[in-house]
Amino acid sequence: MSATARQSAPLPTDIRAMKGAAPIVSLTAYTTPMARMMDAHCDFVLVGDSVGMVLHGMRSTVGVTMEMMVMHGQAVARGLDRAMLVIDMPFGSYEEDPRQAMRNASHLMRETGAAAVKLEGGAHMADTIRFLTARGVPVMAHIGLTPQAVGTLGGYKVQGRGAAAKHLSEDAQAVADAGAFAVVLEKIPAALADRITSEIAIPTIGIGASAGCDGQVLVVDDMLGLFTAFKPKFVKRYAQLGADGEAAIAAYAAEVRARAFPAAEHVFADEAPAKAPGA
Ligand code: KIV
């Protein structure tokens, strides 16, 4: 199945132009109903490779494949009318060289209708970002805690403390100079996020960064209280759907065992009820 960009959605250039004008709102989504729920409220929706951990029970994002991203990207696209769709490039789909990145980015955009791709990495990905943007692929960069590199980072630790702050500032500048239209800053000190936001010309999208970033993104299942395996400090739960869902399932199980469900209103009579005249 292929998809084309929706006419009314903002473009990456519109998101870039929001820097300094209005905070940019974003969440992840992996399914059509979730996408529908957030469409009216988000400027862009990210099909994150966090899908591997959130929906597929993986221990990291490293096992996420192109096929998974296409399938979830298509599902999310069906639920969006007005928000822009951004899709993550999964681990191993872009790091080899710019040509591999171009092949896979164009595949993701063609199959899902995403307006842009997101990839992890700073200065070392600048050549690839330049190559993609020169060929019509809008790129959102992602620096700080880059979950695909969890093996080499030694866990999901805060990045950019102390001397490492300078490297992160350089990474931010490098991806902006290479043509990225925005950059995600994940799990870095708030003061550093504020400094990077004031230093670079493209919007910063914070997750575990600072309220001073140009925008924010969260994993939707985290903020709805659906993903409860662990809760990072930077997540605020705006609902407790996981706990509510489990209580509902327990109530259903109890009613089935007590033969209280289904009740009369949930079953069918022998005869169809007569229709009212004119109905
Ligand atoms: O995969 C993901 O969900 C992300 C985030 C920025 C939330 O990359």
Side-chain angles (χ1 to χ4, degrees), residues 26-28 206-207 216-220 222-223 234-236 238:
S26 159
L27 286 169
T28 67
I207 174 164
Q216 301 293 329
V217 62
L218 279 179
V219 169
V220 68
D222 278 342
M223 57 84 77
F234 57 76
V235 169
K236 176 172 175 183
Y238 287 82

Side-chain angles (χ1 to χ4, degrees), residues 3-268:
T4 48
R6 284 154 295 112
Q7 299 301 313
S8 58
L11 298 169
T13 45
D14 299 321
I15 299 293
R16 191 184 193 287
M18 288 176 76
K19 187 175 178 88
I24 299 163
V25 180
S26 159
L27 286 169
T28 67
Y30 320 107
T31 64
T32 308
M34 276 300 191
R36 284 204 178 110
M37 227 188 274
M38 64 184 69
D39 185 40
H41 305 284
C42 288
D43 298 300
F44 74 87
V45 169
L46 171 68
V47 185
D49 61 351
S50 49
V51 67
M53 298 173 78
V54 172
L55 288 198
H56 294 269
M58 294 177 168
R59 295 190 58 182
S60 78
T61 56
V62 169
V64 175
T65 62
M66 283 286 288
E67 290 72 23
M68 289 166 73
M69 295 309 297
V70 167
M71 182 188 284
H72 288 284
Q74 289 174 343
V76 170
R78 288 181 204 114
L80 296 184
D81 271 331
R82 59 156 300 281
M84 186 177 87
L85 177 59
V86 180
I87 191 161
D88 259 346
M89 299 199 71
F91 180 63
S93 71
Y94 60 95
E95 300 89 334
E96 251 170 71
D97 59 45
R99 285 173 190 278
Q100 181 211 22
M102 182 67 206
R103 208 164 40 249
N104 286 319
S106 56
H107 181 74
L108 288 174
M109 290 175 69
R110 194 168 46 241
E111 293 300 314
T112 66
V117 297
K118 177 166 80 59
L119 55 80
E120 297 183 6
H124 67 284
M125 290 309 300
D127 285 347
T128 295
I129 295 171
R130 198 169 288 109
F131 189 92
L132 292 178
T133 53
R135 286 159 181 77
V137 177
V139 178
M140 179 177 288
H142 181 160
I143 63 171
L145 175 63
T146 47
Q148 292 173 7
V150 64
T152 47
L153 293 177
Y156 296 95
K157 298 175 187 159
V158 176
Q159 302 294 309
R161 282 193 168 133
K166 182 170 170 291
H167 294 300
L168 265 189
S169 286
E170 288 165 0
D171 278 339
Q173 196 58 64
V175 298
D177 291 347
F181 73 91
V183 57
V184 170
L185 305 180
E186 178 162 353
K187 210 166 179 183
I188 67 172
L192 176 59
D194 289 343
R195 194 160 72 241
I196 290 174
T197 301
S198 69
E199 279 170 3
I200 63 174
I202 60 172
T204 56
I205 311 295
I207 174 164
S210 159
C213 288
D214 298 300
Q216 301 293 329
V217 62
L218 279 179
V219 169
V220 68
D221 293 59
D222 278 342
M223 57 84 77
L224 292 178
L226 266 172
F227 183 74
T228 52
F230 57 88
K231 187 182 98 56
K233 173 180 160 72
F234 57 76
V235 169
K236 176 172 175 183
R237 285 192 179 143
Y238 287 82
Q240 310 296 334
L241 298 194
D244 285 356
E246 194 176 340
I249 290 165
Y252 162 77
E255 289 195 2
V256 170
R257 292 194 174 104
R259 297 199 185 282
F261 177 83
E265 68 266 32
H266 305 120
V267 298
F268 301 94

